[in-house]
Amino acid sequence: MSSQRHLTGITTSGTPHLGNYVGAIRPAITASRQPGASSFYFLADYHALIKCDEPERIQRSTLEIAATWLALGLDHEKVYFYRQSDIPEIPELTWLLTCVTAKGLLNRAHAYKAATDANRASDEDIDAGINAGLYMYPVLMAADILMFNAARVPVGRDQIQHIEMARDIGQRFNHIYGEHFVLPEAVIEENVATLPGLDGRKMSKSYNNTIPLWLPQKELKKAILGIVTNSQTPGEPKDPDESHVFTLYQAFASAEETASMRAAFAEGIGWGDAKQKLFERIDSELSAARARYETLMAQPDEIENILLAGAAKAREIATPLMTKLRAAVGLRRLIKAQPIVVKLAAEATAGATTTAELTVARKLARFISYREKSDHKFYYKVAAADGTLLLQSVPFATPQESGRAIIVLKSIPADALITQSSGADWQVHSSDGKLLGTSVDPERLRSELETLRLSEA
Ligand code: TRP
């Protein structure tokens, strides 16, 4: 199941442009809609800090990129959509991985090598102006990927080496500490176009030749009219395969539209007319999404909630894995709770007609299942070792359902539980909003559940 997981990160240091859309966002959203797909898309804001020290820009870019994915129809309930910095397990895992990563491996990373080569060429100290974040970039990226046991990572060619490094690092960890990680593979979409920018080179922020994705109609048209062309006049036959206008058109058009544009080139369509057609094609693909984008940009609180819910969902995977990894490397409690089997007989509270034989740990909270006489329904309680009632479940029709609810509650990271005051009690919900039961002391419930989970990990 996890072998089907796709994961990719988007660095939050810029404004999305047409090249990002065609090369990454559009194919990713299409892939996420495949039946059986399990997709993880996240905003790599820790990575953004490596190359950007402008706080406002990081925040703005995070908002723009999140709004972009949502406006283009990403189903945030179906996929895992989150902000990297909302997952504290990521930097934690980064450190564990750092300690099994060969320094020599990082010396060979393309981005770091390019920077040191440039320094060498200009007779500077080889590490002049290079921050340690750039050097550690591949380890942070390995943590992003390995944390969710993603098997497939769709990226651009420039990222292939990073995925290979994530494999190396994961393999090294597995070798030392046992099989914890799936080893990822890069997925390069062969049939996705690399868009030319305004000057004909690859559209890229670093060339300053991009067309921003969400330009208002008028400005989009102006930008498209500014694409460089040769000086052939209207009426002169033109070679579509030599034209950036045609390449751009093809990335948005159907096969039929592309064929008729090819014919128009042969017949000598003027550059102005070709650009007008290109503008119309792009505008019609984007205009509905542009309206959604503008609405979303005006509601950052809605986006914030979506990201926080996404992080809670992602942490349902990250927290238990991190607990295991900490134990695996030896970051452990000094006293391990001894599991013992006890019979919960008279202990089970009044009203119970059946008692369950449960494995509980000394001093730990325990789950007590019972059937209530008055309504014949099945319930469970969570009780602290001193008998304090911590959680009273909702009723269940069958003991199996109650048992399943216990398993779910045991697997949720305690701080992902949502609690809501209701009179003297608190209602306890799972992160997806399902009511689990009531508690008089949610803080103690959380801490006892977390202790229980750690001892069982
Ligand atoms: N380095 C990637 C880029 O610049 C972004 C990224 C961060 C990423 N973490 C990732 C991509 C994990 C894939 C998987 O494009």
Side-chain angles (χ1 to χ4, degrees):
M1 142 206 94
S2 61
S3 67
Q4 291 307 315
R5 280 187 188 161
H6 281 60
L7 173 144
T8 200
I10 310 96
T11 310
T12 55
S13 54
T15 293
H17 56 71
L18 290 181
N20 301 139
Y21 170 69
V22 169
I25 308 172
R26 192 172 62 181
I29 292 177
T30 306
S32 75
R33 292 185 178 144
Q34 298 298 313
S38 168
S39 313
F40 292 69
Y41 300 120
F42 69 95
L43 305 164
D45 53 352
Y46 281 135
H47 278 96
L49 295 182
I50 294 169
K51 50 182 169 184
C52 174
D53 61 7
E54 298 162 52
E56 303 305 326
R57 187 154 132 219
I58 301 270
Q59 184 189 28
R60 173 80 190 175
S61 171
T62 301
L63 174 64
E64 287 180 355
I65 295 174
T68 296
W69 284 73
L70 296 169
L72 290 168
L74 182 74
D75 181 348
H76 60 88
E77 309 243 322
K78 181 169 179 233
V79 307
Y80 288 78
F81 184 56
Y82 54 95
R83 175 170 48 198
Q84 186 185 30
S85 65
D86 285 333
I87 317 282
E89 289 83 1
I90 295 286
E92 201 176 351
L93 177 57
T94 301
W95 182 251
L96 301 196
L97 297 178
T98 299
C99 296
V100 301
T101 300
K103 180 166 175 286
L105 181 81
L106 301 180
N107 289 339
R108 292 189 287 277
H110 297 324
Y112 174 68
K113 263 188 70 179
T116 52
D117 287 350
N119 280 336
R120 225 179 258 117
S122 55
D123 269 337
E124 295 267 8
D125 179 273
I126 59 160
D127 282 322
I130 300 175
N131 67 43
L134 178 72
Y135 192 69
M136 295 300 300
Y137 190 112
V139 188
L140 177 58
M141 188 157 155
D144 292 333
I145 299 168
L146 299 174
M147 178 64 83
F148 297 102
N149 277 326
R152 301 175 67 74
V153 187
V155 284
R157 290 186 185 283
D158 58 324
Q159 297 292 318
I160 294 177
Q161 188 197 33
H162 289 146
I163 313 302
E164 285 167 357
M165 289 181 158
R167 269 185 90 82
D168 282 356
I169 296 169
Q171 202 158 29
R172 181 97 189 109
F173 191 97
N174 283 353
H175 179 72
I176 302 173
Y177 297 114
E179 291 295 311
H180 293 282
F181 297 126
V182 168
L183 301 180
E185 244 168 63
V187 185
I188 307 295
E189 292 255 14
E190 295 296 346
N191 49 8
V192 161
T194 305
L195 286 197
L198 293 171
D199 59 358
R201 289 185 294 173
K202 177 188 170 184
M203 190 180 289
S204 161
K205 210 172 39 172
S206 28
Y207 295 146
N208 199 16
N209 65 354
T210 64
I211 301 178
L213 182 54
W214 303 119
L215 286 181
Q217 223 173 26
K218 254 190 168 159
E219 287 170 45
L220 176 64
K221 187 161 172 177
K222 222 172 104 191
I224 288 171
L225 290 176
I227 297 169
V228 292
T229 53
N230 61 24
S231 53
Q232 285 179 301
T233 52
E236 249 183 282
K238 298 178 177 64
D239 181 355
D241 300 314
E242 290 295 311
S243 161
H244 311 311
V245 176
F246 184 79
T247 310
L248 280 159
Y249 186 81
Q250 195 168 22
F252 288 87
S254 68
E256 276 162 38
E257 290 166 322
T258 304
S260 67
M261 183 59 97
R262 192 172 272 286
F265 267 64
E267 285 156 22
I269 185 172
W271 290 124
D273 290 346
K275 288 175 177 176
Q276 174 65 28
K277 286 214 152 60
L278 172 61
F279 161 72
E280 284 165 12
R281 192 64 201 74
I282 295 179
D283 187 56
S284 76
E285 178 155 334
L286 293 178
S287 64
R290 187 191 297 128
R292 285 194 295 274
Y293 176 81
E294 275 153 17
T295 310
L296 282 161
M297 286 298 283
Q299 298 163 352
D301 47 336
E302 189 169 314
I303 298 180
E304 182 64 28
N305 285 338
I306 289 172
L307 291 178
L308 290 180
K313 191 164 124 182
R315 292 191 73 200
E316 286 176 19
I317 297 172
T319 310
L321 177 61
M322 204 56 227
T323 303
K324 266 210 292 192
L325 297 175
R326 290 176 61 97
V329 301
L331 305 177
R332 299 173 183 159
R333 298 276 161 129
L334 299 181
I335 307 158
K336 198 160 197 288
Q338 291 298 313
I340 50 164
V341 176
V342 295
K343 286 216 189 273
L344 299 162
E347 263 179 287
T349 42
T353 56
T354 59
T355 57
E357 191 177 82
L358 295 177
T359 302
V360 299
R362 208 180 339 214
K363 300 262 169 59
L364 295 176
R366 58 191 178 228
F367 283 78
I368 302 161
S369 312
Y370 63 95
R371 187 170 195 182
E372 175 68 45
K373 266 189 203 146
S374 58
D375 64 2
H376 304 294
K377 296 244 164 73
F378 296 86
Y379 293 80
Y380 67 85
K381 295 170 189 287
V382 180
D386 64 8
T388 311
L389 176 63
L390 298 175
L391 180 81
Q392 169 63 62
S393 79
V394 292
F396 298 92
T398 65
Q400 287 77 13
E401 284 169 61
S402 168
R404 272 197 298 274
I406 291 177
I407 292 170
V408 170
L409 181 56
K410 281 184 164 180
S411 69
I412 304 178
D415 59 6
L417 293 174
I418 302 163
T419 48
Q420 236 171 40
S421 166
S422 97
D425 279 358
W426 294 72
Q427 291 193 330
V428 182
H429 300 263
S430 57
S431 57
D432 57 4
K434 212 177 283 147
L435 180 62
L436 304 175
T438 54
S439 177
V440 285
D441 190 349
E443 274 324 301
R444 177 142 184 228
L445 171 69
R446 279 205 180 89
S447 100
E448 296 271 0
L449 284 177
E450 201 54 29
T451 310
L452 190 62
R453 251 160 43 78
L454 292 174
S455 77
E456 289 183 355

